[in-house]
Amino acid sequence: MEKISLQKLKKSFATKLSNIYSETEAKPVFTWLIEHYFNATSTDLLMDKSLSVSADTLSKYQNALNRLKEGEPVQYILGYTEFYNCHIKVDNNVLIPRPETEVLVDWIVSDMDQLKPGKTLSILDLGTGSGCMAIVLAKHLNYPVKAIDISPEAIQLAKENANLNQVSVDFKTLDMNRLDDADDVPDILVSNPPYVLETEKNQMENKVVDYEPHLALFSKDPLYFYHLIFRYVQQHQKIRYVYLELNHLTADAVADLFRSIDHQVCTIRKDMRGNKRFLKWHR
Ligand code: GLN
């Protein structure tokens, strides 16, 4: 066992990773690491509680630090993240769930809470990745939820996440191109499809471009997946609600597409940075 001072550890963390994290970014990452590896809280850190740590644990922590220094996202190193109060496992086959996507989920949950109690609608999530949206919706709404993704590895992980969160979601490996094979048409369609443009790559953080799956991030044609979804909604009157995450650069074009369907309401919401990020459409 070795005795360590949390404050000293914090200083060496900040110095070692100064090229990766600013001071404000370093703080939550460090707190998360000490919680994960040493079972220490932020109060322990404030009080500079000295900890007895085994050599093995310390070397795991050092190893995490080395990976962080290479630029790897902390969520992949620890293997999980928190999303809308759910514990979600992640690996490099799936996108790390983003805080902005919690806004979309919250929109759906609060809309559905206002519907007549006892009403049951079915949900389909397209390009589910880790399953984060489908799982949170199943947990909060108690509706039947299905979700598809082109990646079998993602679907495998999404199934694990549903078990972990004790919800039932019908996950299936399926290309969005083959949407008609997804048997039942849902009442509510949700999706956070790949929407980042190749031209945006050089403005993105290295830890995103180098580590997260490009299959889940990039789309050569910025409207490709939105056109697929639009055609599916046009063909199936049963679909009454659509909730999408958008690229702010193409948000208006997607909204125009959905507004072209008769008798509908289409609303765009902005994210915390003030960019047009979400769309709700219903008929
Ligand atoms: N919001 C993510 C990012 O900017 C992208 C998500 C997506 O392509 N659906 O990294």
Side-chain angles (χ1 to χ4, degrees):
M1 289 293 208
E2 283 185 47
K3 280 250 180 258
I4 53 165
S5 141
L6 285 173
Q7 285 295 340
K8 268 194 201 141
L9 213 59
K10 187 181 170 192
K11 277 207 188 82
S12 69
F13 177 90
T15 316
K16 183 162 181 170
L17 293 163
S18 60
N19 61 331
I20 304 279
Y21 297 117
S22 69
E23 222 169 290
T24 31
E25 286 168 335
K27 208 172 160 197
V29 177
F30 179 72
T31 313
W32 194 358
L33 287 185
I34 59 167
E35 190 191 305
H36 180 90
Y37 289 103
F38 311 130
N39 213 2
T41 63
S42 46
T43 317
D44 295 337
L45 174 61
L46 266 178
M47 290 161 47
D48 197 11
K49 197 169 145 188
S50 90
L51 300 178
S52 294
V53 176
S54 73
D56 182 45
T57 306
L58 205 54
S59 106
K60 282 187 181 134
Y61 168 81
Q62 293 297 351
N63 185 34
L65 245 53
N66 293 337
R67 287 170 68 180
L68 284 175
K69 199 172 165 53
E70 291 293 310
E72 190 170 350
V74 62
Q75 295 89 340
Y76 287 153
I77 299 172
L78 301 185
Y80 63 91
T81 190
E82 301 295 326
F83 180 80
Y84 209 84
N85 291 326
C86 283
H87 187 85
I88 301 288
K89 281 193 184 185
V90 291
D91 63 27
N92 57 7
N93 291 300
V94 300
L95 216 62
I96 297 165
R98 306 283 202 270
E100 54 262 39
T101 308
E102 291 180 318
V103 176
L104 184 62
V105 164
D106 195 57
W107 197 0
I108 307 171
V109 170
S110 46
D111 276 359
M112 295 307 138
D113 278 347
Q114 282 169 22
L115 288 184
K116 260 202 284 209
K119 202 173 173 81
T120 296
L121 299 173
S122 57
I123 298 180
L124 175 63
D125 176 19
L126 306 175
T128 194
S130 64
C132 61
M133 283 213 283
I135 288 164
V136 166
L137 293 172
K139 188 170 162 186
H140 285 268
L141 295 173
N142 227 347
Y143 291 174
V145 182
K146 292 189 178 187
I148 63 165
D149 200 284
I150 192 171
S151 155
E153 292 82 9
I155 288 296
Q156 179 55 38
L157 192 64
K159 284 181 179 169
E160 281 178 42
N161 279 325
N163 286 338
L164 203 65
N165 287 282
Q166 297 175 317
V167 296
S168 149
V169 175
D170 183 0
F171 287 110
K172 198 151 122 186
T173 306
L174 189 73
D175 187 339
M176 260 194 248
N177 258 311
R178 310 269 310 268
L179 219 44
D180 282 329
D181 298 353
D183 38 37
D184 295 347
V185 175
D187 300 296
I188 307 170
L189 202 66
V190 310
S191 184
N192 174 17
Y195 61 64
V196 182
L197 314 183
E198 294 282 341
T199 50
E200 292 179 279
K201 212 184 236 174
N202 48 13
Q203 302 147 34
M204 291 166 75
E205 289 183 289
N206 288 348
K207 63 173 182 289
V208 176
V209 181
D210 294 346
Y211 288 91
E212 298 202 73
H214 287 197
L215 183 66
L217 278 173
F218 294 105
S219 178
K220 280 205 180 67
D221 169 356
L223 293 179
Y224 181 78
F225 293 102
Y226 298 100
H227 272 130
L228 283 184
I229 295 168
F230 168 71
R231 279 199 296 274
Y232 188 65
V233 174
Q234 243 185 345
Q235 281 159 12
H236 298 285
Q237 284 294 321
K238 180 169 184 257
I239 302 169
R240 292 185 36 219
Y241 296 88
V242 178
Y243 292 90
L244 304 174
E245 190 168 316
L246 309 169
N247 183 328
H248 64 287
L249 299 171
T250 53
D252 288 327
V254 178
D256 285 346
L257 208 58
F258 280 87
R259 285 192 177 115
S260 72
I261 307 180
D262 279 347
H263 306 299
Q264 38 59 38
V265 182
C266 184
T267 316
I268 292 241
R269 269 197 195 173
K270 292 181 175 170
D271 62 17
M272 37 281 220
R273 284 187 219 93
N275 289 321
K276 292 177 180 174
R277 183 67 61 207
F278 315 104
L279 173 144
K280 169 189 169 182
W281 175 95
H282 77 98
R283 62 178 154 206

